[in-house]
Amino acid sequence: MGDTKPFTRALYVTRIEAASRQIEAAIDAFEIGSFDVAVTLACAAEGMAPPNPKGLFKLMMQSPRWGDLTEKNRSSKVNLTRDWLKHRAEDKPGRLLIEEAEAAYCIVRAMSVWEPWTPKIDAFGHQFLQALGKPRTGPHSANS
């Protein structure tokens, strides 16, 4: 680091830049199995934007991977995990199971409220659609 003083660097970012960085970091964490980190970062990015669900989010909500859970129950499960990671409370369990699908859900929820997507975010969306067995269409399609 040379002669620079420690802890003196700064970073200017716009909201979209910050959200994109958080989503990309969530994807990195997801890929190595750090689902708690992925959920935390993705939910932070989502929380920076007004609600704006896109087609990818709707496809995810229809996925049979969620079993019999309704859309409201799916969101409730993710929100419970988000809140468990974010807030300390005596009435919460001491240990929490976070599944891969739940972390992916959080990332896609964040993606659905922010555009434009970076190449990394777009690739995750493509991977997600492939996992659902859905064709890639819409504004982030290779054909658009």
Side-chain angles (χ1 to χ4, degrees):
M1 290 185 117
D3 294 334
T4 61
K5 295 179 183 178
F7 310 113
T8 58
R9 297 179 299 164
L11 172 69
Y12 284 105
V13 292
T14 64
R15 283 185 137 346
I16 184 65
E17 290 167 341
S20 292
R21 290 165 56 95
Q22 289 171 340
I23 295 168
E24 286 189 347
I27 292 167
D28 290 341
F30 176 87
E31 290 173 347
I32 63 170
S34 294
F35 302 139
D36 56 332
V37 175
V39 168
T40 301
L41 289 167
C43 288
E46 179 194 16
M48 294 173 60
N52 185 22
K54 300 269 186 257
L56 185 60
F57 181 79
K58 289 178 185 177
L59 282 174
M60 179 190 58
M61 293 307 294
Q62 297 165 357
S63 171
R65 294 175 190 260
W66 284 99
D68 294 332
L69 290 177
T70 65
E71 182 174 339
K72 182 179 179 180
N73 289 343
R74 292 171 192 167
S75 290
S76 293
K77 168 74 172 109
V78 168
N79 292 341
L80 174 81
T81 300
R82 176 202 61 203
D83 293 345
W84 188 92
L85 291 166
K86 189 175 173 183
H87 306 290
R88 184 181 190 292
E90 296 300 324
D91 63 336
K92 305 277 189 248
R95 192 170 183 199
L96 186 68
L97 174 67
I98 305 170
E99 297 180 44
E100 182 179 38
E102 187 175 357
Y105 174 94
C106 289
I107 294 169
V108 172
R109 242 172 54 163
M111 289 168 57
S112 70
V113 295
W114 286 108
E115 286 186 349
W117 291 355
T118 65
K120 177 181 263 187
I121 295 170
D122 188 56
F124 185 85
H126 181 65
Q127 175 188 352
F128 183 82
L129 287 172
Q130 285 182 321
L132 292 180
K134 302 287 184 180
R136 191 170 186 186
T137 61
H140 301 290
S141 166
N143 300 325
S144 60

